[in-house]
Amino acid sequence: MKIEQRTEGNATVLSLSGEIDMNNSTEVREVLRQLVERKVQNIVVNMGGVSYIDSAGLATLVECLQGLKKYNGRLILTDLKENVKDVFSVARLDMVFEIRDSEKEALEQVAPS
Amino acid sequence: LYCCEEKVLDETVRLIIPSHPRYIRVVRGIIAESAGLAGFSDKERHAIALATAEGCSNIIKHSYENDYSRRIVLKCRVREGEVEVTLRDFGKQVDLDTIKPRKLEEIRPGGLGVHLMQSLVDEVRYRHCKMGTELKLIKRRKDGEKRDEDRTAD
């Protein structure tokens, strides 16, 4: 599991690669928890490098979303591979999360008008 | 006269893993490959591997209460168009009536594993044993579904 973090305009972009499962979701959870604690307004998670996600990975993202909602923050997931998208769909979380095709599209959405 | 008799696929893979989350990846690999032998597409192979992984996660969390030093016995019966996975633990027995998928309209972390298992395979069955619990997951290939290699050959 690799996590890269950078700032793009008014968003914090996390690029994840590898697998987010019971074995390593705590690493992602910790990074997201810190961002929520700092009340970061816009978090864009580029999941283009994520080849697998399980219920522990989904729970990590749900937890972050709930934290963000408390201060009207925004979480956008991008670049999901087909098999990862399928898991969101089976869990019916594709309607809960903001999911965009690309990081560029997500950044345009959160850019100040 | 030479007669080539085609054997019917019916084989079983057995594996014992430590109850550590890092071995779930190993299990996924075995299940996905076995499902490939049974003729499942890549998408279906991924589905049964994920369902099995969720079963293992639940055993580690609930039966073994995150004790990583126990063991999980896996049996995977492979037949043409069908995979039957049995996961056996020797830990705490959870009341089977409490194993239910959570309501999906409740947006909260946790409780998704049972829902994923039930959605991804055709049958999910629990049985208490003298010691521990047995979980059986069965997935059957849908009529008309083709292996990826057959699809490519068309």
Side-chain angles (χ1 to χ4, degrees), chain B:
Chain B
L1 185 69
Y2 178 72
C3 177
C4 178
E5 203 175 298
E6 200 179 323
K7 281 188 178 173
V8 178
L9 176 71
D10 190 353
E11 289 163 345
T12 302
V13 179
R14 288 182 176 83
L15 179 75
I16 300 175
I17 58 155
S19 59
H20 193 294
R22 66 182 165 221
Y23 286 96
I24 295 178
R25 193 167 191 263
V26 177
V27 169
R28 271 171 37 217
I30 288 168
I31 298 299
E33 289 303 318
S34 301
L37 294 174
F40 285 91
S41 66
D42 284 350
K43 189 174 175 170
E44 297 302 295
R45 288 169 58 205
H46 181 260
I48 187 158
L50 175 55
T52 308
E54 295 296 343
C56 291
S57 299
N58 281 348
I59 289 173
I60 296 169
K61 277 187 280 185
H62 305 296
S63 301
Y64 289 145
E65 297 174 308
N66 293 310
D67 177 352
Y68 296 168
S69 68
R70 308 291 297 274
R71 67 195 163 104
I72 300 171
V73 178
L74 168 103
K75 199 171 88 177
C76 177
R77 186 174 180 191
V78 184
R79 284 180 282 186
E80 182 58 38
E82 184 177 304
V83 170
E84 181 184 299
V85 178
T86 309
L87 294 172
R88 175 85 163 82
D89 72 69
F90 306 89
K92 192 178 116 185
Q93 291 180 327
V94 177
D95 179 359
L96 300 184
D97 291 335
T98 64
I99 306 174
K100 286 176 187 156
R102 72 156 165 81
K103 288 177 188 163
L104 292 179
E105 55 270 25
E106 293 168 16
I107 309 301
R108 61 171 171 83
L112 282 166
V114 174
H115 169 75
L116 288 181
M117 275 193 284
Q118 291 186 347
S119 305
L120 296 169
V121 297
D122 298 299
E123 281 183 47
V124 179
R125 280 190 249 143
Y126 287 93
R127 183 173 71 88
H128 278 162
C129 304
K130 198 172 175 185
M131 275 180 66
T133 307
E134 182 186 88
L135 165 64
K136 208 178 271 287
L137 304 167
I138 301 173
K139 186 155 185 74
R140 298 180 191 93
R141 205 171 71 203
K142 306 278 178 294
D143 284 343
E145 188 192 319
K146 287 182 173 184
R147 299 167 191 246
D148 289 329
E149 60 205 62
D150 293 344
R151 198 177 293 125
T152 314
D154 283 349

